[in-house]
Amino acid sequence: VKGRRVDGERGEHGGCLTTPIMVRRCFASPSMHMMRSLLVLLLLSHGTCEASQGQADALEQTLVSMLKGRELVDLEASQGLRKEILRIVLQDEELARSLDLSLSNATRRDHFQLGETFIARALSTESDPQALREMKMRLLRVMRASGPKLEAQEAAGEADKFEEEIFSAGYMQSVKEEIIEMFQHSFDNYMRWAYPYDELKPISCSGKDLFGQGGYKLTLIDALDTLAIMGNISAFDAAVRKVMAEVSFDVDINVSVFETNIRALGGLLSAHFLAIRFLSWYKGELLLLAVDLADRLMPAFRTKTGIPYGTVNLRRGVPPGETVITSAAGGGTNLLELVLLSRLTLDPKYELAARKATTALWSRRSRLGLVGNHINIESGVWTHHDSGLGTNIDSFYEYLIKAHFLFGDGDALGMFSDCYAGIMKFLRKGAWYLDVNMQSGAVSWMVYSSLASFWPGLQVLFGDMDAAVESQYAIHSLWRRFGGIPEAFNLEAGKLHTGAEGYPLRPETVESIYYLYQATHDPVWLSMGLDVLASLKSLMKTPCGYAAMSNVETKRLEDRMDSYFLAETLKYLFLLFDDSHWLNHEPHVFNTEGHPLPVKVEYLVGHNLSYEELVKTCQLENGTSCYSGGRKMGVCRKTNFKRKLSAYGFDLLEDELEDNRGRTEEPRDRDEHVTRAEGQKDSAAAQEGRDARGAAGKRQEREEANDGAQGPEAKEAVAVGGVKGEEAEAKEVVGG
């Protein structure tokens, strides 16, 4: 980042690289936060963007010289450097001296957040130098008002006023319009250059099918609800008519059961509800398509365990010779779509299939409450024992808690609560979550997977706000460093993981930012959203859309724009900056592809079988029920589970509390502690996992060709890395 214009491979974008950077590790100490913010501001100022090549090089050399040989550990030792940075940033000696004097007392974290907010605004605006100077003066006044003589509450009030001025209604509207323009640029070019292929290739302005030869116009289906949510009802109307007239699932292609369920089936169900809301002529045609698609997925669920195959042919069923190895996420991410389809059609077969698959995986969790990475769907034996929050496991946990929100499902909540206790005890290391051996809890890999970025958002839904905030700050530090979350980052070595250096426009971190803002309305989350927006605009925009980065260090682009960029990434960004949107004030649940599904009372009991009949019908291969039998549908097993779910704006649990009154907590049927003998096996188990990783990786490459390999869930298996030190104490889970 040199403050120069972006050119070369990415073309002339008319702006400067605007991704914030860290200059050496000395700027990571708390006392250096404000100075780092000011240095970043220097690189973002309007004048610097217009600097010539020679000026940019000279500025870079000046900064390098200033930092060379210095190990700054506190504010006092860095005063000289601070003054020099202020002089260069402000280009005003008097203002620099005044601000430097104010900063002498600026050690509070509030001041750092003010600087971050200021920078976020500078990132996203085309303000002229005078406007930026006025903002600097406002920041100066706030800093002066936050001196030691001012009460903390009054200082915080001044900071809040400053943030409110930055994120004014007018400014938020301009950001919303900018995101709508980004979506329209991408969608229009997909329809122009790629349709009827599944996805757009934004550099070559062409198309490709996700699963090889033949497709089913995936991006059109995946983006349907985003059109309606962004308010373009005429385009939504035209797109629904196009899907009705031109989309057919009677095609002879092998598809990922996981990807087709979350993208196509989830997209059709979400668009069905939106069509009922906005299109007066609509008569349920999308629901008929959804039923046809679900029926074509059903053959994959006909296994001994009930856990589905990873691949199915939409015309012929399970392909001959299909592997019996699938991932936990691939087999257990179907509750929302299939149960809802049963409630809509009054046909229980979809719900029975989903419940059997989910319960079959959960019932095979270890004594620590953890599930593994891959499993044999016929024998029920885990073939890959690493347990984490990233690829191949992530959405299995997500659908457990979301099934409770969508259907009032006490069983699903109980399953998630048990798993959450194990995750927080064995996977959590500081702000990060590592992959561990599911049997022993021994750390098996020190690599962070970008797919795990959904976890802070899920923690918001579960009510664990402190852990969610801590984790999101850590994750966003990677965005600040690279301008995108790399697919995998080695936390132990502090560098990108070989072979996983790219950022394919993934939505997970934006999703977590959205949930955190909905729960807290703290502008710091808007600042993070602006970081994402700035990187997308300045680093990834092409004449035909937005391209994935194949390497976040070199910023080299890849000719790829996955459909989830329109279905999730831009949708969550839009809703983040539109707090008054109706979707932010009505009860709904997003599936893992970002498709909103409404929470309705009739869907809690909307199937044509009674609960008792379902209990008898849905059985695992050993004859046990898919249901616990000890809990009623829609009733929590914890008597004190009560939380206002501000992230969704509603509380499903008020009536449940009345049903639960007087009940006692069920005894745990599993021991959460590892025996001494098991503890002695930790080291050996960890070594066994490392030795097996090479062979498992080769086997996984072959398997994932039929295990949804083309989608996000089948990327190279990576784990959540962490920091050295003793294991964190397990947090007590009280009803979540």
Side-chain angles (χ1 to χ4, degrees), residues 590-707:
F590 287 106
N591 85 336
T592 196
E593 186 74 5
H595 296 304
L597 306 173
V599 176
K600 294 180 178 292
V601 173
E602 56 265 33
Y603 300 150
L604 300 180
V605 291
H607 44 72
N608 62 351
L609 286 178
S610 68
Y611 173 68
E612 290 74 17
E613 290 172 324
L614 275 175
V615 170
K616 295 176 183 178
T617 305
C618 187
Q619 293 183 343
L620 303 181
E621 73 277 13
N622 61 4
T624 60
S625 173
C626 298
Y627 299 88
S628 67
R631 311 175 194 133
K632 292 195 299 179
M633 291 286 287
V635 177
C636 301
R637 68 193 185 106
K638 302 280 189 176
T639 58
N640 54 356
F641 185 84
K642 186 177 186 296
R643 179 185 306 107
K644 179 64 177 176
L645 299 170
S646 56
Y648 277 142
F650 73 98
D651 189 353
L652 257 177
L653 306 175
E654 295 293 341
D655 294 336
E656 298 173 4
L657 289 172
E658 295 297 324
D659 294 336
N660 270 335
R661 203 175 300 279
R663 293 178 60 189
T664 57
E665 182 178 340
E666 296 178 6
R668 297 188 62 85
D669 58 353
R670 285 180 176 268
D671 183 9
E672 291 185 356
H673 300 286
V674 187
T675 64
R676 182 179 302 276
E678 288 172 331
Q680 294 172 349
K681 296 177 182 178
D682 282 3
S683 178
Q687 183 61 45
E688 177 186 354
R690 288 189 291 270
D691 294 342
R693 186 175 301 282
K698 293 180 181 178
R699 182 178 66 249
Q700 184 178 338
E701 289 177 3
R702 295 192 298 270
E703 294 165 355
E704 285 182 342
N706 294 315
D707 189 22

Side-chain angles (χ1 to χ4, degrees), residues 90-100 140 144:
L90 301 176
Q91 295 293 303
D92 186 311
E93 295 285 351
E94 181 179 358
L95 183 58
R97 284 196 300 270
S98 299
L99 186 54
D100 179 63
L140 174 60
R144 284 173 174 167

Side-chain angles (χ1 to χ4, degrees), residues 22-89:
M22 285 187 182
V23 182
R24 302 190 61 179
R25 294 191 177 185
C26 63
F27 283 93
S29 64
S31 62
M32 298 301 294
H33 279 322
M34 180 54 71
M35 192 185 299
R36 176 167 66 84
S37 298
L38 290 169
L39 180 57
V40 173
L41 179 59
L42 162 65
L43 299 174
L44 300 177
S45 66
H46 182 85
T48 306
C49 291
E50 299 298 327
S52 66
Q53 180 78 28
Q55 290 173 318
D57 289 336
L59 176 59
E60 180 187 28
Q61 185 57 47
T62 299
L63 293 174
V64 171
S65 299
M66 288 162 53
L67 292 167
K68 188 175 182 180
R70 294 176 183 264
E71 292 296 334
L72 306 174
V73 294
D74 55 47
L75 195 61
E76 182 179 356
S78 60
Q79 286 182 345
L81 178 58
R82 184 184 68 203
K83 291 179 181 178
E84 182 66 10
I85 291 176
L86 288 170
R87 185 186 65 78
I88 298 176
V89 169

